[in-house]
Amino acid sequence: MDARCPECEKVAILDDDITNVKCPHCNFKADYESYIEIMKDQAINMSSDYIPDRPGF
């Protein structure tokens, strides 16, 4: 299964037993749980770029 590399944004490989993510392009390696946390943090950071600052929040 393919995944997006959080470092180079190219296609990374998720192994068949869904335990590790490896990128053949930049040698990024992480276990699946760490990968999910990294991608979640990136999604939160990206979404904050599109939410205008509002007073009171």
Side-chain angles (χ1 to χ4, degrees):
M1 184 185 291
D2 292 338
R4 185 173 65 99
C5 177
E7 293 191 2
C8 71
E9 298 188 3
K10 294 182 180 178
V11 176
I13 307 299
L14 176 63
D15 62 6
D16 291 336
D17 54 352
I18 308 175
T19 55
N20 293 304
V21 177
K22 295 179 183 177
C23 179
H25 307 284
C26 71
N27 296 320
F28 169 82
K29 294 179 186 177
D31 63 87
Y32 185 68
E33 296 298 321
S34 298
Y35 172 77
I36 292 296
E37 287 300 316
I38 292 167
M39 296 307 284
K40 182 173 75 170
D41 289 343
Q42 284 189 359
I44 290 169
N45 290 338
M46 286 181 359
S47 67
S48 68
D49 291 342
Y50 296 101
I51 299 172
D53 291 334
R54 294 182 284 176
F57 288 97

